[in-house]
Amino acid sequence: MSAMTLLPLPYDPTTLPREMARHYIPATDHEIQTMLGALGLSQLDELFQHIPTHVRMAEPLALPEELGYEELYRHVVTQSQHNRLPEVAFLGDGLPHYKVPDLVPFVAGLRELMTAYTPYQPERSQGTLMTQWLYQCCLAMLTGFEAINASQYDRATALVEALYTAARLSRQGRAHFLLLGSLWPQDLEVVRTLLEGTRLTYEVVPIDPAHGLVPWAALEQQALAQAEGLAGIAFPQVNSLGCLEDVDGLTDLAHRLGARAIVVTDPMLLASGGLKVPGTFGQEGEGADILVGEAQHLAIPPHYGGPGLGVFGMRYNAAHQQDLRQAPGRFVGDAQDEAGRAAKIMVLSTREQHIRRHKATSNICTNQGFVATLAAAAVLARGEEGMREACAGGRINALTAARALLRVPGVRLAFPETPFWNAFVLALPCSSATMIEAARQRHIHLGVDVSARLPGSTGNHLLLSFSDIQEPEHLERLSALFAETIDMPDATTTVALPEVPAAYLRRAPVGLPSWPQDQLRAFFTSLSEQNISPDRTCYPLGSCTMKYNPYINEVAASLPGFANLHPDAPLADAQGTLEVLYNLQEYFKVITGLPAVTTQPVAGAQGELVGLKMFQAYHRSRGDTQRDVILIPHSAHGTNPATATMAGFETVQQGAATLSGVVEINAGPNGQIDRDHLQQLIDRYRGRIAGIMITNPNTSGVFETRFEEIAALIHADGGLVYMDGANMNAIAGWVNLGALGVDAVHNNHHKTWTIPHGGGGPGDAIVAVSDRLAPFLPGVQVIRTEHGYALERPSQSVGSVHRHFGDMGHDTPAYTYLRALGREGVRGMSAVAVLAARYLHQRLKPHFPTLPQETPDSPRMHEFIITLPEATFATLEAAGISRARAIGPFGKLFLDFGYHAPTVSFPEAQGLMIEPTESYTKAELNRFADSIILMLQLVNEQPTILQTVPHFTPVDRIDDVSANKHVVVSVRLTTIPPVLPNRIAPDQLAQMPLEAIAEAIRAASATKLQGKK
C-alpha cells in the first residue's frame, strides 16, 4: 500500500454519529449554548473563572491544527509507513512474534468487551468476567499452577510483584533474593529501578560465559551464605541466551533453604510437546511456588513492545491454601447469583488498593485485562493441536536454522553443550553489529547482539529467535545471508546439537479444548452483549472518564507498520514509531506546561510509582536521605497510598500516631485540602517530607484553588509535589501545571486521551515533570537529530519501569486522538466535559443533596457527588434497608435503566460520583438526568426495589460472600460455558420510555419478592 492509497476502513464512519462529530463532541453549538444558558453563563471559558488567572494557559496552544477524518486516516497510514518492516525477522529476546489466529481481531472488534470498565459491577460485566476467567483457566492448564491472576503489566513488573509476594509469604520476615543473571537484562533493570529505596534486597548471580548458564556451585554457595534471610530464588526456564536452566535443581535448592522458587517462563512453550510444566518442577514434582512470564505473543503482534501481558501465578492447593491472599492484582472467581445461576465475580478484592490503600498487596489498578481476553481467545482458537503446532514450529525452525548456519566456516554455537529450545546464540567470526546491519540492508531483522551479557565477549555473540511465523523460504534467506557475508557452507560438516533432556520436557498433554471457530465467534459475541459500552450511552463512573473511544484510533494501532514492528528493530527502521513518541513528548509538554515527559509508564498507578521513584532519586542526589513521609489527602485514589508503600514509604505507626510513611491530610468543609491541618503536618514532619500527592481536580470534582500555595509550602520544606492527573479531562489545555508548582503528573491515556478501558486495561500513562526531575526520567527519551530520531538516556535516570518502551500500541491511538483534536479540540474537550457535568449537576441538585454537604454551590469540574435525601434514607430504613447498605443497591438501579452504575461510596461513604464526559448530546444528558430522578421516585414509592435490583441484567445480585469463602479461580475447560442473555438488553432499554422501564422494574421487583416468600 503506497502512502497515497488507503484501504477501506473496516467500518462505515458515517453510521457512527460520535465518530464523525468534530473532536468527538456530539453536542451541537446550539446545545452547548443552551446548557451554558441554564448555568447563567454565555461562554465556555467562564466555566474556569474560579481558577486563578495566572495559572491558566494562554491560547492558542502550541499544538498542530486538527486533521479531518480522511486526512487523519491518511496521516496515520503514512506515519506507519515511515517504519521499515522486514521481509524476514528472527527477533525475540523475550518477546517473540507468533501467528495471530483470525479470532483475535474479531474479538478485538467487539466494542462492548473492548470499551467496558473494570468489572466492579459484575451483574453488568459477566462478559468481561468470563473472558478473563477463560484466560485464567487456559493459563492454569498450560502452567500447572492452580491460580493465575487476571494479568500484570508485563513480565518485568510481574517479577517485581513476585519478589514482594515472596517476602510477604515469608514467616521469618525474610526479604533477600537471589536472581539468576541469565534473566533478561531489561527485566533485571526494572527490578533494580523498583526495589531501590525499599526493604527488599537482592543479588544477581552472574552467568558462566562458557555454558550460558549460572554455574551451580556459585549459586549454591551464595544461597547457603544468605540462607537465613533468603526469601526466594528467581530463575528463568528458558534464559536470555536461549539456554534451558535446570529448573528441578533450582526449585529444590530454594525449597531446601525454606525460600520460594520463582520461575520466569513462556506459556507458549508449555503447550503439549513442549517444556516441563512449572507446577511439577522439582524431583518430587511439588512445583515452583510463584510463576511469572510474558504472554503478549499469545495474542497480539509486538507493537514495539506493548501492550504486554504479564503472567502471574500462585499455588492454590492443599499445601498452599492461604498463599493466594498475598498475591497482587485481580482474580476472577466462580460464583452464583441469588437465584442460583452460575456467574463470575472478582474475588479476594480486600487485598487491593481501592480497599486496603497503603496496606494493599500492590498498587496495581488498571491491568492488561483486554490483552488477557485476547490471549484467551487466541489459545482457544488454536486449541490443543494449534498450540502444539505453534510451540513445535519454533523448535523445528530453530533446529533447521542451527544445522544450516553451523555449516558456515567460523560460525559456532556459543554454548555447544547446553540445550536450547527455540532460540540460540551464535559466536560469529565477525561483529554482531556488522552482521545485523548487513541483514538490515537485505530487509532482514537478524537478531539481537547479546555480547554485553557475556563477560569476555569480543562483540560477536548473536541471539536468533524462532517461532511459527518463519516459513522455509525465510530460513533459506537466512542461510543465504550467512553465505554471502561470511562464507559458503561446508556440506560435509557434521553438526551435533545438544539434546534436550527428557526431564526438561512436558510429560502429559495439556488437554486444551478444540472448539469450532464459528462457535467461538458466536460465544464471544454473546459474551460482549452481557456488557455495556460508552458507545451506546452515558457511562457515568466518576473519576474514570468513560468517554467515547474513536474507532479510527484502533485502526491506527493495528496498521501493520506499527503493530508488527519489534522493539529490537534497528532504529533506522523504526523512525515512524520514534516520531510518534517524540511528538507525544512534545505535545504533553504543551498540555501540562512542564518541560520534560516520559512515555514509558503503562498505567496511572505506574505513573505514580515513577513519580515517587524520581522523588527518591532527587532527594538522594542531594544527600537528603531522611525524607520518609508522603502526605496524601484522605479523599485520594487508593493507588496513591498503595504506590507510596510500594515505592518504599512503608507506614510505621505507634498507636494512633504515624511515625513514617503515608500521612493523610483532612479535607476542609469546602471539599478542598484543609490548609490548617496541612500546616500542622508540615510542622510535625519538618525536614522529613519527601513529597505530597494531590489529585486535582479532586475526587469531589472540586478544583484545589490553593494548590499553588500548598506547593510553595511543600517546596519551602524541601519536598516535591505530585499531581495525580486522573482528572485531567477537566483541565487539559486550560491550567498550566508548571505555574501551579507541580513537579510530576501522570496523564491516563485510558481516561483523558480516549484509550478504551478493556474491562480492566491495558491502561497507559505519560508522566510530565519539572526541571528538578527531568534528569531522573525513566527509560529513554526520543530526540530529533539532523539524521532522524534517536534515543537518549537522561543523565541520572532512575532506570526503567517496563521491559521496553511502554505500551506503544496505546501511544499510537493517543497520538491519533490528539491529531484529531488539534489545538482547539484539547480545550474544547475539557470545557464541554465540565459543562456536561455542571449542567447535569444543575438538573439533579433540586432532587439530591450534594456532597460534601457544606459545598452544594462550589463550582464542580468534570464530576460531582450526590447522595440520597434524608427523607429517602428514612423511608429505606423503615423498609429494613440501612443507610450503610442503601447506596450500593441504588447504584445497581442504574443498570436497570440501561446505564452502568456511577462510582459508589467513594470518596464519600454515602456518595454517588457521576462523570458524564463530553461524549453525549444534551438530549442524552437530559434522559440520563430524568432517569436518575425517576430512580429516586421509584425508591421513595417502593423502597423494597433496592432489595431486588438489578432486574434486567443476565444475572441477579451475586453472592460475593460465598464466592470469597469458597474461592475457585480455575477449572479444566471441556465444553463452551453457557451464556445467559440479558432479560432486557441495554439497547432495548435505551429505546423504551422511562416510565415503561419504571413499570417493568416495579413488576419485576414484585415478582422477585413474591418468590422469596
Side-chain angles (χ1 to χ4, degrees), residues 92-334:
D93 198 27
L95 184 60
H97 185 182
Y98 282 80
K99 294 176 182 176
V100 176
D102 291 341
L103 182 64
V104 170
F106 174 80
V107 174
L110 296 173
R111 299 276 294 184
E112 286 77 9
L113 289 176
M114 181 180 70
T115 62
Y117 191 65
T118 304
Y120 290 127
Q121 292 288 338
E123 298 85 0
R124 180 40 73 211
S125 307
Q126 285 297 294
T128 288
L129 288 162
M130 177 57 80
T131 65
Q132 294 183 10
W133 163 265
L134 292 170
Y135 164 78
Q136 292 177 186
C137 294
C138 288
L139 269 291
M141 293 175 72
L142 285 165
T143 63
F145 268 56
E146 299 84 3
I148 303 290
N149 80 4
S151 69
Q152 299 287 308
Y153 303 137
D154 66 350
R155 181 187 59 240
T157 47
L159 177 56
V160 173
E161 296 281 10
L163 303 181
Y164 275 106
T165 302
R168 286 191 295 271
L169 288 170
S170 172
R171 293 189 179 91
Q172 299 83 19
R174 297 179 176 187
H176 189 69
F177 294 89
L178 291 182
L179 278 57
L180 269 63
S182 56
L183 291 162
W184 279 272
Q186 53 268 43
D187 294 1
L188 291 173
E189 182 179 353
V190 173
V191 170
R192 179 186 64 80
T193 302
L194 296 183
L195 293 195
E196 179 77 31
T198 73
R199 67 184 181 88
L200 302 191
T201 59
Y202 68 94
E203 298 172 44
V204 176
V205 187
I207 292 174
D208 172 8
H211 297 92
L213 303 170
V214 169
W216 184 261
L219 173 64
E220 188 174 32
Q221 183 179 0
Q222 281 188 253
L224 291 171
Q226 301 289 340
E228 289 188 8
L230 190 63
I233 300 175
F235 55 89
Q237 185 170 24
V238 180
N239 72 26
S240 65
L241 300 172
C243 300
L244 302 184
E245 297 280 359
D246 177 6
V247 291
D248 289 337
L250 290 161
T251 299
D252 288 341
L253 175 63
H255 289 168
R256 176 155 52 94
L257 299 176
R260 302 285 167 165
I262 304 167
V263 61
V264 179
T265 191
D266 177 348
M268 183 65 87
L269 305 185
L270 303 177
S272 294
L275 297 177
K276 186 167 187 173
V277 181
T280 63
F281 286 178
Q283 293 302 318
E284 300 300 321
E286 70 270 32
D289 301 294
I290 303 174
L291 176 143
V292 301
E294 182 61 58
Q296 175 181 338
H297 53 285
L298 282 183
I300 60 175
H303 283 286
Y304 211 56
L309 178 54
V311 180
F312 186 96
M314 297 281 290
R315 306 316 304 269
Y316 182 52
N317 53 33
H320 301 275
Q321 292 185 348
Q322 299 301 316
D323 288 7
L324 200 57
R325 299 180 186 277
Q326 297 301 325
R330 301 189 185 109
F331 289 89
V332 176
D334 235 341

Side-chain angles (χ1 to χ4, degrees), residues 716-767:
D717 190 52
L720 297 168
V721 177
Y722 189 91
M723 194 184 106
D724 184 329
N727 296 334
M728 278 293 290
N729 210 57
I731 59 174
W734 291 91
V735 177
N736 186 322
L737 306 188
L740 277 181
V742 171
D743 289 302
V745 61
H746 74 265
N747 271 234
N748 298 83
H749 282 352
H750 57 288
K751 293 185 179 181
T752 306
W753 307 109
T754 199
I755 303 307
H757 278 72
D764 204 6
I766 66 94
V767 173

Side-chain angles (χ1 to χ4, degrees), residues 877-920:
E877 287 179 333
I881 302 170
S882 69
R883 174 186 291 260
R885 295 183 177 275
I887 293 299
F890 192 88
K892 292 191 186 297
L893 198 50
F894 282 70
L895 311 185
D896 281 340
F897 278 81
Y899 302 106
H900 194 280
T903 299
V904 298
S905 302
F906 173 80
E908 300 277 353
Q910 271 81 53
L912 298 160
M913 191 201 308
I914 295 173
E915 180 182 3
T917 82
E918 74 277 12
S919 296
Y920 305 99

Side-chain angles (χ1 to χ4, degrees), residues 8-17 19-20 69 548 551:
L9 289 166
Y11 56 89
D12 181 358
T14 63
T15 65
L16 304 167
E19 189 77 11
M20 297 308 295
Y69 205 81
Y548 178 69
Y551 283 63

